[in-house]
Amino acid sequence: MTNALRALAPQAHWLLRIALASVFLFHGIDKFLDLSGTAQMMDSMVMAVLAAVLETGGGALVLIGGAGNDLLTRLGGLFLAPVMLGAIFMVHWGQWRFAATETHPMGGMEFQVTLLMIALYFVFVGNAPPRPNTD
């Protein structure tokens, strides 16, 4: 069983890519579809467009980069990291619970921190293959 799983390890990066990209493509495209509503929520049309571009572009780059372009993978992660930092510090800071509460109607920051860590993983690792097990 371990050997079969080890044989699949070089393709496991797609699990993280698809998870990360699907969240950001969904949210980025959703922002584009309602830019005025997003701008109202963010108090700025420039920030709304920037967030939509970074989310959609970053998600797409992480996916496209998986086909073999290390630079695109790293850029995708780099586009997504500041979006998550903004979300954490401006909306979700101070609450770790995922569920919405009276003080944090948009929910806590555990999901955003997880997305940030996955984005940073792609910034630092890019398309580097998993190291072979020397056991």
Side-chain angles (χ1 to χ4, degrees):
M1 174 76 159
T2 304
N3 287 336
L5 292 175
R6 197 170 287 137
L8 294 173
Q11 301 305 317
H13 65 99
W14 287 107
L15 300 172
L16 284 178
R17 284 178 197 279
I18 292 168
L20 187 68
S22 64
V23 170
F24 283 100
L25 286 169
F26 172 81
H27 285 279
I29 291 168
D30 195 47
K31 283 179 177 61
F32 275 123
L33 294 175
D34 185 18
L35 271 177
S36 62
T38 303
Q40 186 176 20
M41 180 184 74
M42 295 182 160
D43 293 327
S44 167
M45 180 59 81
V46 171
M47 291 302 293
V49 170
L50 183 61
V53 167
L54 290 175
E55 288 179 6
T56 306
L61 287 172
V62 166
L63 278 181
I64 294 166
N69 192 315
D70 187 69
L71 179 61
L72 294 182
T73 294
R74 291 174 192 269
L75 280 175
L78 194 59
F79 282 14
L80 300 176
V83 173
M84 292 321 311
L85 287 169
I88 290 165
F89 287 110
M90 295 188 320
V91 180
H92 303 279
W93 184 255
Q95 179 174 323
W96 280 97
R97 291 185 54 217
F98 182 69
T101 64
E102 280 187 38
T103 60
H104 290 79
M106 298 289 286
M109 61 187 204
E110 67 184 78
F111 183 57
Q112 289 72 21
V113 170
T114 300
L115 293 175
L116 173 63
M117 295 300 116
I118 296 170
L120 290 175
Y121 169 85
F122 284 118
V123 171
F124 294 121
V125 174
N127 291 350
R131 292 184 186 176
N133 191 349
T134 58
D135 292 340

